[in-house]
Amino acid sequence: MRQSSVYDCNIIELPKNHQLCGNITAVNNCKEIPFDIQRVYFLYDVPGGSGRGGHAHKELRQFIIAASGSFDIIVDDGNVKRTFHLARPYIGLYMPSGLWRELDNFSSGSICLVLASTVYNEQDYIRDYDKYLEFKSI
Ligand code: TYD
């Protein structure tokens, strides 16, 4: 959605099954998050303190979890920027399509788990910030 704003992002707390032997958190299609999951990918071995991911998606919706460690997600709708700090495996950020996003301040050993609404499609990416602003203004 070209009209998405940073205020359409939501932090979602997932149910936690707490046991002495360890916790379990599950995510189901269209239950805890508002889309069908078509793809799961994860970022790992990201050098501590570094960042990545300056781009936007035209259609893709995502739910992003710090499955281990922590990092920041900076979302930008062309007018407003918001920073979300993720640091718990049962708390994630829902991101609608059409927002510029960057990931930063990865703690070493962290894992960024992404549940995605579509399969990988390079045509869905906007990788240039000026082109993103053009996309938003149409
Ligand atoms: P990309 O999403 O561009 O990550 P970043 O912007 O953080 O560098 O992904 C980097 C590369 O990884 C991309 O050019 C192709 C590959 N890739 C896949 O093959 N499948 C995927 O699902 C993803 C997310 C990336």
Side-chain angles (χ1 to χ4, degrees), residues 40-46 52 62-73 86 101 103 106-107 109-115:
V40 175
Y41 67 91
F42 38 97
L43 308 178
Y44 56 96
D45 287 350
V46 181
R52 59 183 297 164
Q62 294 172 301
F63 183 65
I64 304 176
I65 304 166
S68 184
S70 65
F71 50 84
D72 294 336
I73 305 178
L86 294 182
R101 68 114 199 245
L103 305 177
F106 279 87
S107 64
S110 58
I111 298 176
C112 171
L113 176 64
V114 182
L115 311 181

Side-chain angles (χ1 to χ4, degrees), residues 39 41 43 52-58 60 62 64 74-76 95 98-103 114 120 122 124-129 132:
R39 174 171 52 122
Y41 67 91
L43 308 178
R52 59 183 297 164
H55 62 245
H57 289 282
K58 297 173 198 163
L60 181 73
Q62 294 172 301
I64 304 176
I74 302 105
V75 292
D76 177 348
M95 276 190 64
L99 296 175
W100 188 263
R101 68 114 199 245
E102 291 174 22
L103 305 177
V114 182
Y120 177 75
E122 183 59 34
D124 189 58
Y125 281 74
I126 305 170
R127 294 188 180 276
D128 178 275
Y129 190 71
Y132 172 66

Side-chain angles (χ1 to χ4, degrees), residues 4-136:
S4 291
S5 109
V6 293
Y7 298 107
D8 297 319
C9 292
N10 296 318
I11 288 286
I12 297 175
E13 182 162 344
L14 301 166
K16 184 164 59 165
N17 182 297
H18 174 70
Q19 298 176 18
L20 289 179
C21 58
N23 302 327
I24 298 177
T25 288
V27 184
N28 299 275
N29 276 349
C30 294
K31 188 174 176 193
E32 293 85 3
I33 58 172
F35 59 82
D36 270 336
I37 301 162
Q38 296 277 327
R39 174 171 52 122
V40 175
Y41 67 91
F42 38 97
L43 308 178
Y44 56 96
D45 287 350
V46 181
S50 73
R52 59 183 297 164
H55 62 245
H57 289 282
K58 297 173 198 163
E59 300 294 337
L60 181 73
R61 297 187 283 162
Q62 294 172 301
F63 183 65
I64 304 176
I65 304 166
S68 184
S70 65
F71 50 84
D72 294 336
I73 305 178
I74 302 105
V75 292
D76 177 348
D77 60 17
N79 289 309
V80 178
K81 281 188 188 187
R82 289 178 81 188
T83 299
F84 296 90
H85 181 68
L86 294 182
R88 296 279 182 272
Y90 55 89
I91 293 178
L93 177 68
Y94 167 68
M95 276 190 64
S97 57
L99 296 175
W100 188 263
R101 68 114 199 245
E102 291 174 22
L103 305 177
D104 205 0
N105 292 324
F106 279 87
S107 64
S108 67
S110 58
I111 298 176
C112 171
L113 176 64
V114 182
L115 311 181
S117 67
T118 69
V119 296
Y120 177 75
N121 173 14
E122 183 59 34
Q123 305 308 313
D124 189 58
Y125 281 74
I126 305 170
R127 294 188 180 276
D128 178 275
Y129 190 71
D130 288 336
K131 290 208 169 65
Y132 172 66
L133 294 179
E134 276 173 33
F135 168 82
K136 289 290 287 187

